[in-house]
């Protein structure tokens, strides 16, 4: 679907309505606000495509804002990874912003609220505060410290900032309404003491602002017009607005928070906390393990930015939570790779094939089209000789008429080469077939124009010349979880559903043109799927990841089980 032909989503309707009511188009401004406490995942891709997509649609700036108010879980490594991923997806931010750059302004505003009697220092423990919260139907209880004098509040708050108190000794709370029907309005926390160095402000601060106090004010400082977040913040909107009310200047843009549904994806988890667990427990090799639903994992697996964006565009923006089937993401990468990936030959489970009537020591270089979907991709030469590898599953001694591969007495065409006929096979002591002997028809060479070359046979097999083959490690991946919604079980932890067979490593033989392949290069291994070169690859040892198979085999397997 092209950007102009699709209908507007509900987020765009909100913007259109604001514009129709006179909001100036040149004041539109958006942001994508990740917390640097992990790597971005496919759920974030939705939010990135939404915000940066709006930027492109309305030619409005989009900031990349790091919501870095919790030094316990945040790290520079995550900041770097997030920037890399957003860039890789192909988006450009206007300004790289950090909530931590606003710590002083937020502090000054907090002092102002104290002076106006709208914030106070509470000296109760977090347990005591929690007990006073009340329930949705019963009002909360006011803190005994709620009516401290402005002077005492100022003195204590300054002491908190100066590091005079231990963690948990005091907090700063907004003085709103302990009887509000919205529990979040019952004197929410604004600051807590944390004697932790921050990845950017180091030890400058030992009090850190809470999300609610930070987010709207950051939007305001950056003059973000529309602040889109996921549905769990819907109840926070009232507080977002209350905090804005305290600081907004009439001549300036007042940010507007609106919510959309968080996306969940089948057979995986998308929560940085859970993904971190997979990394820390060694279930995967790291945040960029090709089985991870992270942007970096998908990149390493062989996904393209185009396929991820097309996927995000297809699933669109929803108002309600739902689970998106990951096979839709696979569909999109298959579609894109079909257009761009050169076709090559690789044998994953090799079986030796000897052409008994082919001259000993001879070799030919056969011409092969790189990509039938892309004329500009051109041609390359692949070596052919007396001894070849074919896939084990492509040969059977006997088979019924529906088996269009090779069987004794049967014929197939070797891709870009000749028609062959299997004559005999050799077995080891256990009865496994270890070699197949065949004859070839020298006049049947593909593209030679002879009558025999045009002769149709049912099956075509891919192959690699034994003498020229390059050995490669191939990593075959399956779903990381056996359950469709691993984190949606009340009585079971998501870790219980880890698929023990999510990675299979094999040794394969690939055609020699692949010896030069670089990390990230993408190919279609004919008849086997799409593969790319892993970062573990070296000239001494090629390593490929299977990005996705050629067809959606998963659905079929599911039915069979
Ligand atoms: P996580 O639980 O994975 O840590 P988060 O919401 O805490 O997610 P943030 O770094 O705060 O992660 O997210 C940045 C932006 O991405 C937010 O606006 C958030 O709402 C959005 N986002 C995060 N996860 C999803 C998801 N699964 N679907 C859509 N948007 C998401
Ligand atoms: Mg978060």
């Amino acid at each position: 679907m092209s950007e102009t032909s699709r209908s507007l989503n509900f987020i765009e309707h909100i913007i259109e309505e604001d514009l129709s009511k006179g909001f100036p188009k040149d004041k539109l401004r958006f942001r994508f606000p990740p917390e640097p406490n992990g790597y971005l995942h496919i759920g974030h891709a939705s939010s990135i495509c939404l915000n940066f997509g709006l930027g492109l649609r309305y030619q409005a700036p989009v900031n990349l804002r790091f919501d870095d108010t919790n030094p316990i879980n945040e790290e520079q490594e995550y900041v770097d990874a997030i920037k890399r991923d957003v860039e890789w997806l192909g988006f450009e931010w206007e300004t790289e912003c950090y909530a931590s750059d606003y710590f002083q302004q937020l502090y000054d505003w907090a002092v102002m609220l104290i002076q106006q009697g709208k914030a106070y220092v509470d000296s109760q423990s977090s347990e005591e505060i929690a007990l006073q919260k009340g329930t949705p139907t019963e009002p909360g209880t006011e803190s005994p410290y709620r009516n401290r004098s402005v002077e005492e509040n100022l003195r204590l708050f300054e002491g908190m900032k100066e590091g005079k108190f231990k963690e948990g000794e005091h907090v700063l709370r907004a003085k709103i309404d302990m009887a509000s029907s919205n529990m979040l309005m019952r004197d929410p926390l604004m600051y807590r003491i944390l004697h932790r160095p921050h990845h950017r402000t180091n030890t400058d601060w030992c009090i850190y602002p809470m999300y609610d106090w930070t987010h709207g004010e950051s939007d305001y400082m950056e003059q973000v017009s529309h602040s889109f977040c996921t549905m769990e913040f819907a109840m926070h909107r009232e507080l977002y607005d209350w905090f804005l009310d305290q600081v907004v200047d009439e001549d300036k843009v007042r940010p507007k928070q609106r919510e959309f549904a968080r996306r969940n994806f089948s057979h995986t988890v998308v929560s940085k906390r859970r993904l971190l667990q997979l990394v820390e427990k060694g279930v995967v090799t790291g945040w960029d393990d090709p089985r991870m639903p992270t942007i970096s994992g998908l990149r390493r697996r062989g996904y393209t930015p185009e396929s991820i964006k097309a996927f995000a565009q297809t699933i669109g923006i929803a108002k309600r939570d739902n689970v998106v089937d990951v096979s839709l993401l696979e569909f999109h990468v298959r579609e894109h790779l079909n257009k761009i990936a050169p076709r090559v030959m690789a044998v994953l489970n090799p079986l030796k094939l000897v052409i008994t009537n082919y001259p000993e020591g001879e070799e030919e270089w056969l011409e092969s089209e790189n990509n039938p979907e892309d004329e500009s991709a051109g041609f390359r030469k692949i070596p052919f000789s007396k001894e070849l590898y074919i896939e084990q599953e492509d040969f059977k001694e006997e088979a019924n008429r529906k088996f269009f591969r090779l069987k004794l007495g049967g014929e197939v065409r070797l891709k870009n080469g000749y028609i062959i006929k299997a004559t005999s096979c050799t077995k080891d002591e256990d009865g496994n077939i270890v070699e197949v002997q065949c004859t070839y028809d020298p006049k049947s060479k593909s593209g030679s124009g002879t009558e025999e070359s045009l002769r149709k046979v049912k099956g075509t097999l891919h192959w690699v010349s034994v003498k020229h083959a390059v050995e490669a490690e191939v990593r075959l991946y399956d779903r990381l979880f056996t359950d469709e919604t691993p984190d949606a079980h009340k009585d079971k932890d998501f870790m219980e559903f880890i698929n023990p067979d999510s990675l299979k490593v094999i040794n394969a033989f690939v055609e020699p043109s692949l010896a030069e392949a670089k990390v990230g290069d993408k190919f279609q291994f004919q008849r086997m799927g799409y593969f790319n070169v892993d970062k573990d690859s070296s000239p001494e040892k090629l390593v490929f990841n299977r990005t996705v198979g050629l067809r959606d085999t998963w659905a079929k397997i599911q039915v069979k089980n």
Side-chain angles (χ1 to χ4, degrees), residues 35 37 233 262 272:
E35 182 183 354
N37 62 346
F233 292 103
R262 184 171 281 270
K272 284 177 279 184

Side-chain angles (χ1 to χ4, degrees), residues 155-179:
R155 188 175 50 75
L156 286 170
F157 189 46
E158 193 178 344
M160 284 167 64
K161 176 180 182 268
E162 297 304 323
K164 297 204 176 118
F165 305 113
K166 291 198 289 287
E167 287 184 13
E169 229 178 315
H170 305 287
V171 291
L172 186 75
R173 296 176 73 177
K175 194 171 180 175
I176 308 180
D177 178 6
M178 287 306 288

Side-chain angles (χ1 to χ4, degrees), residues 172-447:
L172 186 75
R173 296 176 73 177
K175 194 171 180 175
I176 308 180
D177 178 6
M178 287 306 288
S180 171
S181 58
N182 181 349
M183 305 261 295
L184 294 163
M185 299 299 280
R186 296 182 186 173
D187 291 8
L189 258 51
M190 291 174 68
Y191 278 92
R192 65 213 193 285
I193 300 169
L194 282 176
H195 291 284
R196 300 282 186 117
H198 182 279
H199 64 99
R200 295 187 78 241
T201 59
N202 205 352
T203 51
D204 291 355
W205 296 86
C206 62
I207 54 170
Y208 290 93
M210 304 301 288
Y211 173 89
D212 287 310
W213 170 234
T214 312
H215 206 86
E217 316 308 271
S218 302
D219 285 340
Y220 176 63
M221 278 183 259
E222 290 170 23
Q223 285 290 281
V224 166
S225 60
H226 294 78
S227 176
F228 299 111
C229 59
T230 34
M231 212 57 96
E232 69 271 23
F233 292 103
M235 287 292 278
H236 294 244
R237 198 204 284 178
E238 192 180 351
L239 182 54
Y240 178 98
D241 285 331
W242 190 91
F243 280 136
L244 280 182
D245 285 340
Q246 312 311 316
V247 302
V248 162
D249 189 328
E250 272 178 20
D251 324 326
K252 290 205 165 169
V253 171
R254 182 195 169 96
K256 183 180 230 178
Q257 173 186 306
R258 288 296 179 268
E259 307 83 20
F260 62 96
R262 184 171 281 270
R263 288 297 191 181
N264 296 305
F265 304 88
S266 67
H267 300 101
T268 192
V269 292
V270 280
S271 136
K272 284 177 279 184
R273 194 170 48 82
R274 295 203 172 94
L275 295 174
L276 177 65
Q277 239 175 296
L278 294 173
V279 173
E280 285 182 338
K281 298 226 166 105
V283 173
V284 294
T285 55
W287 285 96
D288 70 346
D289 185 296
R291 290 165 292 181
M292 289 281 267
T294 50
I295 307 284
S296 51
L298 292 167
R299 172 169 61 232
R300 187 169 167 195
R301 175 85 171 249
Y303 277 73
T304 58
E306 290 85 346
S307 61
I308 294 174
K309 287 191 279 193
F311 168 70
Q313 177 84 18
T314 303
I315 65 174
I317 293 298
K319 286 187 188 179
R320 275 186 210 192
D321 279 21
N322 61 357
V323 178
V324 178
D325 196 322
V326 287
S327 51
L328 187 60
L329 179 61
E330 291 165 358
F331 165 82
H332 280 286
V333 75
R334 216 178 264 127
E335 224 189 29
H336 189 223
L337 292 177
N338 179 43
K339 292 192 194 118
I340 63 159
R343 275 57 170 166
V344 294
M345 295 210 273
V347 174
L348 302 189
N349 295 302
L351 172 63
K352 200 167 173 186
L353 177 81
V354 178
I355 310 172
T356 49
N357 62 338
Y358 193 85
E360 196 77 48
E362 181 152 321
E363 68 180 51
E364 291 176 75
W365 288 76
L366 305 175
E367 184 144 277
S368 178
E369 195 176 6
N370 284 328
N371 186 352
E373 300 285 322
D374 175 11
E375 266 181 38
S376 70
F379 290 83
R380 74 187 183 294
K381 300 264 188 184
I382 32 178
F384 186 86
S385 65
K386 189 180 177 75
E387 293 187 350
L388 309 172
Y389 289 122
I390 59 169
E391 296 290 342
Q392 277 168 26
E393 61 180 28
D394 281 342
F395 174 75
K396 279 189 186 168
E397 282 184 278
E398 283 175 57
N400 66 22
R401 297 204 342 242
K402 287 196 184 130
F403 185 74
F404 295 137
R405 307 174 193 186
L406 192 59
K407 58 189 168 198
L408 287 182
E411 281 187 324
V412 290
R413 175 173 291 284
L414 293 173
K415 181 92 189 154
N416 299 119
Y418 299 92
I419 293 175
I420 56 161
K421 184 186 222 167
T423 50
S424 55
C425 65
T426 316
K427 295 181 189 168
D428 66 12
E429 288 153 15
D430 303 324
N432 301 311
I433 299 166
V434 291
E435 191 187 292
V436 179
Q437 294 87 34
C438 69
T439 56
Y440 85 122
D441 175 356
K443 295 203 200 87
S444 64
K445 186 169 166 180
S446 290

Side-chain angles (χ1 to χ4, degrees), residues 17 54 96 100-101 104 116 128 141 146 154 178 190 212 254 261 264 280 291 328 335 367 383 426 453 481 490 547:
E17 198 186 324
L54 290 171
E96 180 180 329
S100 55
D101 284 345
Q104 186 61 47
Q116 294 172 353
E128 283 169 313
T141 311
R146 197 172 198 258
L154 287 174
M178 287 306 288
M190 291 174 68
D212 287 310
R254 182 195 169 96
N264 296 305
E280 285 182 338
R291 290 165 292 181
L328 187 60
E335 224 189 29
E367 184 144 277
T426 316
S453 75
F481 294 94
K490 285 208 179 70
T547 309

Side-chain angles (χ1 to χ4, degrees), residues 32-41 44 65-83 98 192 198-199 211 233 262 270-277 279-280 287 292 294:
F32 170 64
E35 182 183 354
N37 62 346
Y39 282 55
L40 296 179
H41 50 64
H44 290 113
R65 158 136 36 90
F66 291 98
D67 206 346
D68 56 347
T69 56
N70 183 0
I72 300 171
N73 302 321
E74 296 163 3
E75 285 174 32
Q76 186 60 38
E77 179 198 342
Y78 299 141
V79 170
D80 297 339
I82 289 168
K83 284 167 63 180
Y98 294 84
R192 65 213 193 285
H198 182 279
H199 64 99
Y211 173 89
F233 292 103
R262 184 171 281 270
V270 280
S271 136
K272 284 177 279 184
R273 194 170 48 82
R274 295 203 172 94
L275 295 174
L276 177 65
Q277 239 175 296
V279 173
E280 285 182 338
W287 285 96
M292 289 281 267
T294 50

